[in-house]
Amino acid sequence: MIDFVFQNPTKILFGKNALSSLHDEAARWGERVLLVYGGGSIKRTGVYDQVMAQLAGLQVWELGGVQPNPRLSLVREGIALCREQGIQLVLAVGGGSAIDTAKGIANGVCYDGDVWDLFDGKGKNTEVLPLGTVVTIPAAGSEMSDSCVITREEDLCKRGRNTPLNFPKFSILNPEFTYTLPPFQTACGVVDIMAHMMERYFTRVTHVELIDRMTEGALKTVVNNAPIVMQDPENYDARAEIMWAGCLSHNTLLQTGRVGDWASHKLEHELSALYDIAHGAGLAIVFPAWMKYALAHGGEAKLAQFGRRVFDVPDSGDDAADAAEGIRRLEAFYRSLGLTTTLTENGIGDTDFGRMAERAAAMAGGVLGQFVPLKAADCEAIYRLAL
Ligand code: NZQ
Ligand code: ZN
């Protein structure tokens, strides 16, 4: 286990009555609130009305229209609005896209330059506007993460920025708000949650049994409860298990004492940047391909442990065989959720592989990931495995 600092300051309010705390949680940061949300699901589901009722007595400005794979232009619009109106709290209602837009705004308001500087490392801010969230989809884990992922439209560049400034002040999670998710979005969320665990699980750091076993338990919990919510979308208990798993998957607890890999995420971000596919759908394609590549490049022992402990592959004594079976079971699980696991099924060919591979590797300083260090040529090979 390696040295670490663990601090996550986000206050979580979880459960059927969690939203009743919103007024007090918001009011403690000021009276002027910017409400950030997506393409309208919160209006159709009634969450918007419940949120507005809670915000009675506060002054609320709205910024709707956040698209999945959120765009930089709306972040810029939000920054201008906050400056004009003296906003004191940014409140995101929705999923990772609304929350990351709100995070981009909250950072950008406190930076005296172009907000994209913060994403490409040219600039730094030391302060941020307070941010709160009401979560409607368990997936990105942004509600308790230090990360913010935005796409710049001009060159379809999708970048994440990690900083403790990104931790929300509070996040409200009512599993009932997820009942209305279309099956595809539920499935994408499940894949993303598992990916956040797996990126950290596949590490070369040894003697990390506690977090390994916690991660295996969390993965099994998601695997057990996903089929239940696909069959029975209003099953509170199963929705609650997945929602809490989503939060814990990405709040950095499962990264303590180890180095995460994160290659699959970077490879996927290129995919969703260029082809605008849902992040979770992209991960269902990229992660198994990355695992196959890792298996062929010295990763068989940990991959076998994953297969045996998460997908109950019987121990045959042959790590490579058990690892391959674990990958096969993972793909079958994704497919059982109605997702595809190849690029071809999504109409994506090899046209852009070179460019995507170069960009993914370059963003990591030339070598991506640590479980299996990948140069651009390795990244391209993984895209080919995903065909
Ligand atoms: O836009 P609306 O109309 O609200 O509809 C959304 C959207 O179409 C819909 N939806 C959400 N809650 C709903 C609902 N529909 C019905 N009922 C509900 N209760 O779901 C769709 C997807 O929403 P989105 O916010 O895009 O999903 P997600 O939470 O998966 O976020 C994806 C984004 O987060 C980034 C991804 O790359 C992607 O851009 N990530 C952010 C991370 C972070 N900040 O920590 C980490 C992740 O690895 C990820 O990269
Ligand atoms: Zn993710």
Side-chain angles (χ1 to χ4, degrees), residues 230-261:
M230 296 303 284
Q231 283 286 319
D232 179 11
E234 302 200 3
N235 186 311
Y236 180 85
D237 296 320
R239 287 286 192 190
E241 297 286 358
I242 291 175
M243 198 166 205
W244 188 217
C247 219
L248 295 179
S249 74
H250 207 29
N251 75 351
T252 70
L253 173 67
L254 298 182
Q255 188 138 340
T256 49
R258 58 178 65 216
V259 183
D261 184 74

Side-chain angles (χ1 to χ4, degrees), residues 37-42 44-45 66-70 93-98 100 103 136-143 145-149 151 158 177-182 185 188-189 192 196 250 262 265 268-269 272 279-280 283:
Y37 55 92
S41 74
I42 64 163
R44 291 192 296 279
T45 60
V66 175
Q67 292 168 259
N69 299 320
V93 182
S97 298
D100 286 1
K103 286 182 175 179
T136 64
I137 171 171
S142 189
E143 65 272 14
S145 84
D146 64 355
S147 172
C148 168
V149 187
T151 299
K158 186 172 184 177
F177 292 172
T178 70
Y179 289 173
T180 52
L181 280 168
Q185 291 297 344
C188 287
D192 195 16
H196 296 156
H250 207 29
W262 297 103
H265 261 71
E268 193 296 313
H269 283 167
S272 47
H279 173 59
L283 285 168

Side-chain angles (χ1 to χ4, degrees), residues 46-363:
V47 171
Y48 173 87
D49 291 339
Q50 294 180 55
V51 165
M52 290 307 275
Q54 279 290 320
L55 297 178
L58 304 177
Q59 283 182 271
V60 182
W61 285 261
E62 292 188 27
L63 186 71
V66 175
Q67 292 168 259
N69 299 320
R71 312 299 202 268
L72 182 61
S73 53
L74 200 68
V75 173
R76 291 195 169 120
E77 212 180 294
I79 293 168
L81 189 58
C82 286
R83 287 182 177 150
E84 277 162 25
Q85 303 300 340
I87 295 295
Q88 295 165 301
L89 171 74
V90 186
L91 178 67
V93 182
S97 298
I99 299 172
D100 286 1
T101 300
K103 286 182 175 179
I105 294 168
N107 278 277
V109 170
C110 301
Y111 175 66
D112 193 17
D114 180 13
V115 62
W116 190 253
D117 294 350
L118 303 175
F119 289 85
D120 66 12
K122 285 191 196 142
K124 229 179 164 189
N125 58 321
T126 50
E127 281 180 50
V128 69
L129 274 188
L131 168 88
T133 85
V134 176
V135 184
T136 64
I137 171 171
S142 189
E143 65 272 14
M144 207 179 178
S145 84
D146 64 355
S147 172
C148 168
V149 187
I150 297 292
T151 299
R152 180 169 64 178
E153 299 92 315
E154 295 96 278
D155 56 355
L156 297 178
C157 181
K158 186 172 184 177
R159 288 226 167 151
R161 176 184 179 233
N162 292 68
T163 160
L165 294 169
N166 279 335
F167 287 120
K169 298 290 183 206
F170 65 90
S171 284
I172 292 178
L173 290 81
N174 180 348
E176 291 174 332
F177 292 172
T178 70
Y179 289 173
T180 52
L181 280 168
F184 174 72
Q185 291 297 344
T186 297
C188 287
V190 162
V191 173
D192 195 16
I193 291 167
M194 292 175 69
H196 296 156
M197 298 172 184
M198 288 151 60
E199 295 278 21
R200 296 170 161 112
Y201 184 79
F202 291 109
T203 181
R204 291 286 176 190
V205 179
T206 53
H207 305 292
V208 286
E209 182 176 356
L210 174 68
I211 299 296
D212 265 10
R213 290 195 184 272
M214 284 173 70
T215 306
E216 289 152 1
L219 283 164
K220 260 186 165 303
T221 303
V222 175
V223 170
N224 289 345
N225 284 281
I228 300 174
V229 299
M230 296 303 284
Q231 283 286 319
D232 179 11
E234 302 200 3
N235 186 311
Y236 180 85
D237 296 320
R239 287 286 192 190
E241 297 286 358
I242 291 175
M243 198 166 205
W244 188 217
C247 219
L248 295 179
S249 74
H250 207 29
N251 75 351
T252 70
L253 173 67
L254 298 182
Q255 188 138 340
T256 49
R258 58 178 65 216
V259 183
D261 184 74
W262 297 103
S264 298
H265 261 71
K266 298 287 183 323
L267 294 169
E268 193 296 313
H269 283 167
E270 288 305 314
L271 206 57
S272 47
L274 253 66
Y275 297 99
D276 203 17
I277 64 174
H279 173 59
L283 285 168
I285 297 165
V286 169
F287 223 118
W290 173 86
M291 290 167 105
K292 287 170 195 167
Y293 197 79
L295 174 54
H297 291 82
E300 63 273 12
K302 197 70 187 266
L303 282 155
Q305 180 181 308
F306 170 86
R308 289 169 190 143
R309 293 190 186 169
V310 179
F311 282 102
D312 302 321
V313 175
D315 188 344
S316 69
D318 179 343
D319 281 352
D322 293 356
E325 177 59 14
I327 298 168
R328 200 195 61 71
R329 291 187 187 196
L330 177 70
E331 285 180 302
F333 172 69
Y334 291 161
R335 287 188 167 277
S336 76
L337 302 177
L339 295 173
T340 57
T341 53
T342 66
L343 291 171
T344 310
E345 288 167 289
N346 290 271
I348 299 173
D350 62 2
T351 335
D352 297 309
F353 285 178
R355 175 184 167 199
M356 286 156 62
E358 288 290 344
R359 265 205 329 196
M363 235 178 260

